[in-house]
Every structure is written in C-alpha cells, then in structure tokens.
Amino acid sequence: MEMKQTLWGKALCASSALLLSSNVFALTGAQLKEVEKSVQQAMKSFAIPGMAVGIVNNGEVVMAKGFGVKTHGNDTPVDAHTLFGIASNSKAFTAAALAILVEKGKVNWDDQVIKHIPEFELHTKTLTEQMTIRDLLSHRSGLALGAGDLMIWPDTDKSMQDILAGLKYLKPVSPFRSGYNYNNLMFVVAGEVVSRASGMSWHEFIEQHIFSEVGMTGSYAAFSRIPHTHSNFATGTIEYQGELEEFIGDYLEDFRGAGSIASNAVDMTKWMQTQMSAGKTPSGKQLFDASSQDMMWLPHIMRQPSPRALKKFRQHFKGYGLGWSVESYFGYKKVGHMGGILGMGSQVAMIPEKGVAVVLLSNQQAYPALRAITNEVFELALGLEPQQWVTDSAQMYKSSRIEKYGALGPSTPKQKEMGLSSDHYTGTLRSPWYGDVIVEQIAGEMRIDFTHTGLLKGALHHHDGHSFVVKWDEKLLEADAYIHFKLNDKNHVESATMEWVNPQITDFSFDFHNLNLKAFPAPKN
C-alpha cells in the first residue's frame, strides 16, 4: 500500500509539472507594469499606506515588491522583506503541518481529535467522539461563525488549557458536517494536534519543518518570535471617521494555528511556488506529497455561491478544503484565502491550471482592494475581457462605507424606560467559557472589565430600562455593544446578554452574543 501511494504521488507530481509547462504563458513586463499601476491606484483609492505584492507565474517569481510605507505617518518604505501579519492565511500552514505528520504516520486525517488530545471536549459526547482532524480543518463542526473567539481575540491571557476547557460550553448552531461555519478555535485545536503528535510546539514545527524547508527565512510563527533587533515590520491602520489612525497589534499572537504567522512578500512567493509545484519547494525538496496537496485542495464542505459571484466570475461552485478556500473562477479552479487583523489584510490566490498565483499584504483592512488587485492580475494572466476592477471596487467600497457608517449608533427606544441606580447592576458576571466580566462604579462612571482581555475595558451608558451601551476605551475596535441585564424580583442581577450595536461593521470575532453571562455568585432569592 505504501509503495502504491508513493508511486501515485510521484505520478501526480509529474502530471502537475507537465500541466505547468504546457498550459500556461508568461506575464510580460508590460503587464507587470499594469499590475503595479493597479496597486498604486488601489492604495490611493482605498487609503492604504503600504502594501507588499508577490506574483508567481509558470513556477517563477515575477514580482516581489513593496509599495508605500510601513507605518501611517512615517516615510519608511515597505519592501519585499517587510513583515505583515498574514492572519488566517496561517491556516494553510497548519493544514500542511498535519499533512506532513500524516505522511510520517504520526496522525491520520480521520483520527478522532481525542486520540491526540484526550481532554478535548465539545458540547455533547457524540460530537466530541466524532470530531476528526479533517473536521477541524474544514469549518464543518457545527459551531457558529467565530464562536468562542473572545478566548483569543483581541489579545487575551488564555492558555491552551483554558481554551480547551471552554470548548464544551459552546453550543452548535447546525448539525455536525451539515454546513459551513467559519470557526477559528477548531484551527487552534488543530495546531495543538500538531504539537501533541510532533512533540514540539506548533510554532517550532512550523518554523523548523515548513519555513526552513521552503526557504522562508524571514518568517515567524508569532509576533513575539520576531527578534527585537528586527525593525522591518508593518503596523496596522484603521480608517476611523474619515481619518487614518495607526493601530499597533501583535499580529493575532493568540490565534496560534488559526492566524499568528508573520511573513513577507519574498517568503510568501516561495510558499506559493511550493503549493503550485504539488509540494515541491523552490530548492527541490518534497515538503509533502501531491496526494496531500490534492487532499488539502479537495472541497470538504460546500457553500452556496452568491448570484453576484455567478454573474461576475462564473462561480458555479464554492467550498472549503483543508485550510484553503476552493471555488470556480471563469471556468478555472481557484484556491486561496483571505486574512484579517485589526488594521491589516492579506490575500493569497492561485489558479493552478494556469500557473499563476498572487499574494497581497497590506497595512489597512480594505479587503475589496486586495480582491480587485487579484482580479486585475488574473485578468492579465488568463486573457480575460478587460474590466475596471479597482475603479469599480473602490466606488462600491465608498458607497458601502457611506451606507454602513451613516447608520451607526444605538437604536432609539420607542418609549424609553428608566433604569435603576448604578449599584443594582454592579458585580461579577461569569461566562462558562470566557470567565469573569466585572461591572463596577469608578469615579462616578459605570465601567465594564473583561478580565482576560486588556483591550476590552469601557464605559456603560444607559440606553433603555435595564439595557446599556458599552463604549470601549479603544475606539478603533469599532465594537460598541449592548448589554441587557436580567434582574430578579428583588432587583438583583441574575444574568446578562450582549449583542453588537453596529453589526454591519463589528468584526465577527467579537462574539459577545455567545457569552451566556450569569451573576457570580448567584443572587439569593
């Protein structure tokens, strides 16, 4: 069996090489100049201070270049080696790490997670026992979009054991393997499987067994692993009330296998070369077999393409593999991923059949700009009918922002009810998976403190009855929330629920609605 699998993998590698050599054409110097113009246009139209761009064509790196500045308000330029947080583009590295371990016989795609992490526990015994490594990597757990992300976002003090202990309190919102629900925590768990199976941390495995082998010498598995002497890294930027403001973060350090990698344009082109060569690195090493590549690029759960995508890109199918999004694009198979951090955005996109791949790293979270530039590259590489991707996208983006930001703020109660005095609401609320949230009176102001999260401290402003609006001290989070207190007949708080004030702009990882807060200790009746 092992011999057959090896021969099959070699045959796939050979066929992939033949495909790349016979079915693609090279982007010309003039076309690459057009790409650069599109990048510069997008940066201006979307107010992006800096970007790094990498393009692979027919197995060769044809562009690895920086544009603009690393930090808003500073003139230090981005270059091809400037580090950015690649966020969820880290997920493909976690999948590749597990593919390597599968080939070494350390794990199997269909191993139960509890085989490698005995303390792993989900909401039901059945779900716990059925969850496999393959399920962790394909967003088909049944858990809600972003459920539990407040254990890792933004910048918490939660350990891996804390995260594992909290999972059992997250209730599924759909049947297991029945649909696609993007969930970061399952990739955090997948990273822990890498650690348990390899005997080293996820960070060490990624750096030693992937970065080192691929030649990604300037990349790091977490922000804290960047040497203190290294100054060539970008900082985030957020457009707030029409002005750009710097946002300094740690590149999603707590996301681990779900999103903590820092990389640059040069290294990411090497990663794409490896992907486009069925696991063979630029130096000729076989990082993983072609059969593993096929497994990672095979849709394991399907999604419904939008009518707009069908019309705009002839997108007839859309799915998710293992760490990769997979969809049709003008009749070709497109593989890629987006990544988002507060103040940063990244995208990797590949058309394997045509031997073209692009990576975009930016220090502003204007994701439509990344998609527009990618479409410009693919238009040139595939010989598609010319469109004004950047211009049209910028117009839609600006109109969308006007609509979204024009409707900000809490709703106006039909008949506003008075609340009680502040002391009725103060005390400790406990979420079974997050921990303690403290409401207290400080210097005449009602305050809220998410005790595990340094950035989640803010003021409570009365809204209606027993409901308040939370305004976070860090305005750039753009995550104002309602908190609704439930009181007993003695006017003691029993529980509280939270929800977004502005769901159209708040990041889904602020999953306040999943907290299930109860008064601690419980009030006496």
Side-chain angles (χ1 to χ4, degrees):
M1 177 61 73
E2 290 184 2
M3 179 61 71
K4 289 181 179 179
Q5 288 178 339
T6 302
L7 290 174
W8 182 47
K10 289 181 178 178
L12 282 172
C13 286
S15 64
S16 296
L18 179 62
L19 178 66
L20 287 175
S21 64
S22 63
N23 201 32
V24 300
F25 56 88
L27 288 165
T28 67
Q31 288 175 319
L32 292 174
K33 288 293 183 184
E34 287 299 314
V35 171
E36 292 190 21
K37 289 179 182 178
S38 294
V39 171
Q40 291 162 344
Q41 179 190 355
M43 290 174 62
K44 181 178 179 180
S45 299
F46 290 87
I48 300 172
M51 290 187 69
V53 181
I55 300 174
V56 172
N57 183 213
N58 201 13
E60 300 296 326
V61 177
V62 296
M63 183 183 293
K65 189 172 182 177
F67 300 82
V69 296
K70 295 188 294 187
T71 302
H72 173 60
N74 190 305
D75 59 3
T76 307
V78 172
D79 62 36
H81 295 277
T82 300
L83 289 171
F84 292 79
I86 68 169
S88 286
N89 277 298
S90 304
K91 290 178 168 66
F93 288 86
T94 298
L98 285 162
I100 292 168
L101 291 169
V102 167
E103 292 175 14
K104 290 180 180 293
K106 299 286 188 179
V107 301
N108 187 289
W109 292 121
D110 293 313
D111 279 351
Q112 293 174 292
V113 176
I114 54 175
K115 178 180 178 179
H116 302 279
I117 309 177
E119 68 271 35
F120 175 76
E121 185 179 358
L122 295 176
H123 193 64
T124 67
K125 184 174 184 289
T126 299
L127 187 56
T128 300
E129 293 176 345
Q130 290 181 341
M131 189 70 65
T132 68
I133 292 173
R134 192 191 303 269
D135 297 319
L136 294 177
L137 299 173
S138 53
H139 300 304
R140 60 186 196 182
S141 67
L143 294 176
L145 170 68
D149 272 2
L150 283 173
M151 286 196 281
I152 56 175
W153 164 279
D155 302 339
T156 74
D157 63 6
K158 292 279 188 176
S159 68
M160 177 58 69
Q161 289 305 317
D162 292 333
I163 295 168
L164 289 171
L167 292 175
K168 63 187 174 187
Y169 299 107
L170 299 171
K171 295 181 180 180
V173 295
S174 61
F176 184 46
R177 297 178 184 154
S178 67
Y180 172 90
N181 292 304
Y182 194 89
N183 188 273
N184 287 307
L185 290 188
M186 293 301 96
F187 270 85
V188 174
V189 174
E192 182 64 8
V193 173
V194 171
S195 179
R196 302 285 179 100
S198 68
M200 62 177 67
S201 71
W202 172 85
H203 306 86
E204 292 170 328
F205 191 93
I206 294 296
E207 290 177 354
Q208 294 179 27
H209 292 276
I210 296 183
F211 292 170
S212 229
E213 297 296 316
V214 174
M216 299 175 65
T217 56
S219 296
Y220 303 89
F223 189 83
S224 63
R225 300 173 75 85
I226 302 173
H228 294 301
T229 55
H230 193 302
S231 61
N232 191 9
F233 60 88
T235 56
T237 312
I238 294 175
E239 186 176 358
Y240 183 79
Q241 295 185 351
E243 299 292 333
L244 293 181
E245 298 200 27
E246 182 184 10
F247 186 88
I248 300 174
D250 64 3
Y251 293 5
L252 299 185
E253 178 98 15
D254 294 341
F255 274 58
R256 304 169 178 85
S260 71
I261 290 173
S263 191
N264 58 52
V266 168
D267 283 2
M268 289 300 289
T269 57
K270 294 176 182 178
W271 174 239
M272 294 190 302
Q273 283 178 303
T274 302
Q275 293 291 323
M276 300 280 282
S277 299
K280 183 176 288 187
T281 70
S283 66
K285 296 179 181 179
Q286 198 68 43
L287 184 66
F288 48 76
D289 290 341
S291 57
S292 293
Q293 181 83 92
D294 285 350
M295 184 64 72
M296 289 184 278
W297 286 1
L298 173 72
H300 285 66
I301 194 72
M302 300 305 296
R303 306 166 64 188
Q304 180 67 45
S306 68
R308 180 182 179 276
L310 176 61
K311 181 179 180 181
K312 192 77 173 175
F313 307 109
R314 287 167 43 201
Q315 187 182 94
H316 293 284
F317 81 87
K318 185 176 185 179
Y320 198 90
L322 304 179
W324 290 102
S325 293
V326 186
E327 61 195 50
S328 60
Y329 182 90
F330 292 104
Y332 300 102
K333 182 178 182 178
K334 176 185 172 186
V335 181
H337 216 291
M338 293 289 292
I341 301 173
L342 287 170
M344 284 192 176
S346 64
Q347 178 167 324
V348 173
M350 300 175 282
I351 308 288
E353 183 180 347
K354 288 296 184 180
V356 61
V358 59
V359 59
L360 301 163
L361 309 172
S362 73
N363 58 1
Q364 219 270 58
Q365 52 195 35
Y367 308 115
L370 308 186
R371 288 190 285 266
I373 296 168
T374 298
N375 288 329
E376 292 276 12
V377 173
F378 288 163
E379 175 189 288
L380 295 168
L382 304 178
L384 301 174
E385 181 180 345
Q387 297 189 49
Q388 298 298 317
W389 295 105
V390 173
T391 299
D392 294 346
S393 184
Q395 290 176 349
M396 289 180 61
Y397 178 72
K398 290 174 182 177
S399 297
S400 176
R401 281 186 66 87
I402 290 172
E403 180 180 350
K404 290 176 181 178
Y405 283 83
L408 292 187
S411 60
T412 303
K414 292 182 179 179
Q415 186 173 351
K416 186 169 182 175
E417 296 183 10
M418 296 293 292
L420 302 176
S421 59
S422 300
D423 58 291
H424 283 85
Y425 306 104
T426 57
T428 298
L429 298 165
R430 178 165 292 176
S431 162
W433 56 266
Y434 174 82
D436 290 350
V437 174
I438 297 173
V439 177
E440 54 193 336
Q441 185 90 358
I442 300 177
E445 181 180 56
M446 281 187 71
R447 301 280 299 169
I448 190 167
D449 180 357
F450 275 63
T451 58
H452 296 287
T453 314
L455 282 172
L456 290 184
K457 321 293 182 188
L460 269 62
H461 303 271
H462 184 253
H463 179 61
D464 183 31
H466 302 312
S467 296
F468 293 76
V469 171
V470 180
K471 304 284 287 187
W472 305 109
D473 296 340
E474 178 50 84
K475 62 185 180 181
L476 296 181
L477 298 180
E478 296 188 306
D480 290 357
Y482 295 109
I483 182 166
H484 308 292
F485 294 96
K486 181 180 178 182
L487 280 59
N488 62 17
D489 55 6
K490 293 185 178 180
N491 286 333
H492 295 149
V493 171
E494 290 184 329
S495 62
T497 58
M498 294 184 71
E499 61 178 320
W500 300 319
V501 171
N502 303 304
Q504 69 274 31
I505 65 167
T506 297
D507 193 287
F508 68 77
S509 286
F510 291 106
D511 64 318
F512 303 122
H513 47 284
N514 292 316
L515 285 169
N516 190 24
L517 295 165
K518 304 290 185 184
F520 183 83
K524 296 179 180 179
N525 291 322

